[in-house]
Amino acid sequence: MIELDGQSVRVIATQFGPFAVVTDDETVVEATWLRAEHEVDRLKENRDGSRLSARLADRAIEEVQAYFRGELTAFTVPVRAHGTRFQKAVWQALCAIPYGETATYGEIAERIGRPAAVRAVGQANRANPVAVIVPCHRVVGKGSVLRGYAGAAVDIQEGLLALEQGLLLLLPEMFDLIRE
């Protein structure tokens, strides 16, 4: 969890529940589903930090909404995720998984040169602070089994994968910004 000093927050409603994006002046630093009570309390409403962070937050939310409409397959907003070197290597590998495809934890471990670190890849995937934009939902267990997403939200992972495979239609009215 990051502090919000000088940062901007945008929250949208999705069919999977509220989703928040937090930006500083240069990057998206957090994108998360608001499922836990403390997250909802911390990020429940839009707020502006600096003018630069507000513009970037608006741009990030526009991209997230376009993704949910099936109009965007790759994000262009800059991201800075705070984590260990290992976590960052995993998150970088996640960004290389093509839209609509999946990779296993073992495949990610191989790609980062740590084939024995399958469980650690799972933990790094779970710790991803920039959900959807850094596509941790594209990682599955051996045999394409869904092992969990954003903690325990397999329903969200299943829905995002269905969306990317053209099996799910999300209506535009689901994406109105939540206003005070």
Side-chain angles (χ1 to χ4, degrees):
M1 183 164 63
I2 58 174
E3 295 300 317
L4 297 175
D5 292 337
Q7 297 175 328
S8 293
V9 177
R10 296 292 181 270
V11 180
I12 58 170
T14 76
Q15 84 171 62
F16 307 113
F19 186 78
V21 172
V22 181
T23 60
D24 61 20
D25 286 351
E26 299 172 353
T27 59
V28 175
V29 295
E30 185 177 9
T32 188
W33 299 101
L34 301 181
R35 292 173 68 97
E37 188 81 27
H38 71 278
E39 290 297 327
V40 173
D41 288 344
R42 185 174 70 90
L43 299 172
K44 66 183 173 187
E45 56 192 40
N46 294 328
R47 61 170 283 193
D48 286 337
S50 70
R51 187 176 309 154
L52 287 174
S53 70
R55 274 200 301 259
L56 182 56
D58 290 340
R59 184 174 142 216
I61 280 296
E62 287 171 12
E63 286 194 13
V64 168
Q65 289 172 319
Y67 167 84
F68 279 114
R69 289 191 303 266
E71 299 169 359
L72 183 80
T73 60
F75 289 90
T76 63
V77 289
V79 171
R80 182 177 59 237
H82 296 282
T84 66
R85 252 184 12 203
F86 179 82
Q87 288 173 325
K88 289 177 182 181
V90 170
W91 300 334
Q92 185 174 2
L94 301 181
C95 292
I97 304 170
Y99 179 89
E101 296 182 23
T102 60
T104 67
Y105 296 101
E107 290 168 339
I108 297 298
E110 290 280 341
R111 289 177 191 174
I112 64 168
R114 301 279 302 273
V118 176
R119 286 184 184 222
V121 165
Q123 291 302 315
N125 195 51
R126 181 181 175 137
N128 172 21
V130 191
V132 178
I133 298 170
V134 174
C136 52
H137 61 277
R138 295 181 189 152
V139 182
V140 296
K142 193 183 294 186
S144 297
V145 175
L146 302 184
R147 296 281 182 202
Y149 170 73
V154 173
D155 57 328
I156 295 175
Q157 181 182 23
E158 190 174 51
L160 293 173
L161 293 174
L163 170 70
E164 291 186 7
Q165 294 165 1
L167 304 173
L168 183 65
L169 174 66
L170 300 178
L171 302 174
E173 56 268 15
M174 294 177 179
F175 305 105
D176 292 332
L177 289 177
I178 297 171
R179 303 282 182 205
E180 291 184 330

